[in-house]
Amino acid sequence: MKRIVEFQPAAKQDLQQAFTWYELQRTGLGAEFLRAVAVARDLLERDADRYPVARGSFRRLKLRRFPYTLHFDFNSEMVRVHACLHFRKVRAAGLEPEPC
C-alpha cells in the first residue's frame, strides 16, 4: 500500500534553500538535487518503515549523491517530512541517532 507523502512547510523551505544553493554552484545541479528528493519521496511512499529511527518517532532517509537527509514520521496512511537537513546541520541540531 502506498502512503501519501506530505512535505511540511519547514521541509519545503529547506528544499528551496538547498535547491538555490546548488543552482548557484552549477546550473542544473539544483534540478539534480530535486530529482534525488523525488526518488526519496517515491521510496517513502512504498516503504517508510524500513528507514532507521533518528530520534523519538522520527526516522531519516539519506538522499543519494547529496549530503542531506529527510526527517519524517508516518502512520498507516501518510508520511510527513518535517525537514531536509545537511549532514552538518543534523549534528549541530543534535538530531543524530540516539545511542543504543
Side-chain angles (χ1 to χ4, degrees):
M1 178 179 103
K2 283 189 175 182
R3 291 180 174 99
I4 297 167
V5 178
E6 181 179 279
F7 286 82
Q8 300 298 302
K12 289 179 182 179
Q13 184 177 16
D14 294 341
L15 293 171
Q16 181 61 51
Q17 288 174 351
F19 168 81
T20 300
W21 189 86
Y22 281 117
E23 269 308 293
L24 290 172
Q25 303 313 300
R26 186 183 58 151
T27 301
L29 192 56
E32 291 177 33
F33 172 76
L34 292 180
R35 279 193 290 280
V37 171
V39 167
R41 181 202 60 225
D42 293 347
L43 293 170
L44 290 176
E45 278 182 348
R46 292 189 306 269
D47 203 10
D49 54 344
R50 75 179 284 206
Y51 298 99
V53 173
R55 283 249 178 223
S57 65
F58 291 97
R59 294 176 182 251
R60 65 181 182 174
L61 171 101
K62 295 178 183 179
L63 297 184
R64 289 187 178 202
R65 187 173 172 217
F66 295 92
Y68 280 82
T69 54
L70 298 182
H71 295 262
F72 65 94
D73 64 1
F74 67 96
N75 59 36
S76 61
E77 299 173 3
M78 178 181 287
V79 176
R80 285 177 303 276
V81 178
H82 296 277
C84 178
L85 298 176
H86 190 280
F87 291 167
R88 285 184 299 200
K89 288 184 181 178
V90 169
R91 282 195 232 61
L95 295 174
E96 291 184 75
E98 294 173 340
C100 298

